Amino acid sequence: MPHHSALRCVSCIRQNNAKPLILNGLRFIVTCLLTAALWVLFHVARHSFATEICLTKGVPIESVSKMLGHTNIQTTQIYARVVDRKLSHDMNVLERKLRTAQNGSSQKAG
């Protein structure tokens, strides 16, 4: 039975003689793809928050800008693209306000 010193046993454990399952180049590509996917997910989440959650519910763009941490409102406008249904809703609100104002002025005249 061979005798091994403790130092030899530790050095055998530290050596990894097994073949890697993924090549370093492939590992680099996968890591880059995952990083890019996480960045895209984060970016899409910011867009969705700004448009679907905030603007369509009537939150002013100035408030959305502060929520996103932007110092310039023009930066927020990149994220907060106007949604068609929000535009339609705003036009309906404006129409109602104009009708109310018109009815109020015609009642005062009569």
Side-chain angles (χ1 to χ4, degrees):
M1 183 160 116
H3 295 282
H4 298 298
S5 68
L7 183 60
R8 179 162 165 82
C9 290
V10 171
S11 69
C12 289
I13 292 171
R14 289 183 138 190
Q15 289 178 355
N16 186 2
N17 295 329
K19 288 187 176 183
L21 296 176
I22 300 177
L23 299 174
N24 284 339
L26 183 59
R27 181 177 291 124
F28 177 75
I29 291 170
V30 169
T31 303
C32 288
L33 288 176
L34 287 175
T35 303
L38 287 174
W39 184 86
V40 168
L41 180 65
F42 178 74
H43 190 71
V44 168
R46 286 178 68 91
H47 271 283
S48 298
F49 174 76
T51 57
E52 299 299 324
I53 297 173
C54 293
L55 289 179
T56 58
K57 304 301 182 208
V59 177
I61 195 164
E62 294 83 3
S63 299
V64 175
S65 179
K66 292 292 183 189
M67 287 181 214
L68 293 175
H70 297 155
T71 55
N72 189 344
I73 199 164
Q74 292 172 341
T75 307
T76 308
Q77 290 171 341
I78 295 168
Y79 286 97
R81 57 194 184 275
V82 177
V83 181
D84 288 339
R85 64 177 176 253
K86 171 67 174 147
L87 183 60
S88 176
H89 176 267
D90 290 344
M91 291 302 292
N92 289 335
V93 168
L94 177 61
E95 182 182 14
R96 277 186 260 138
K97 287 180 179 182
L98 290 173
R99 283 185 187 165
T100 304
Q102 186 179 19
N103 290 340
S105 64
S106 64
Q107 289 176 357
K108 288 179 185 178

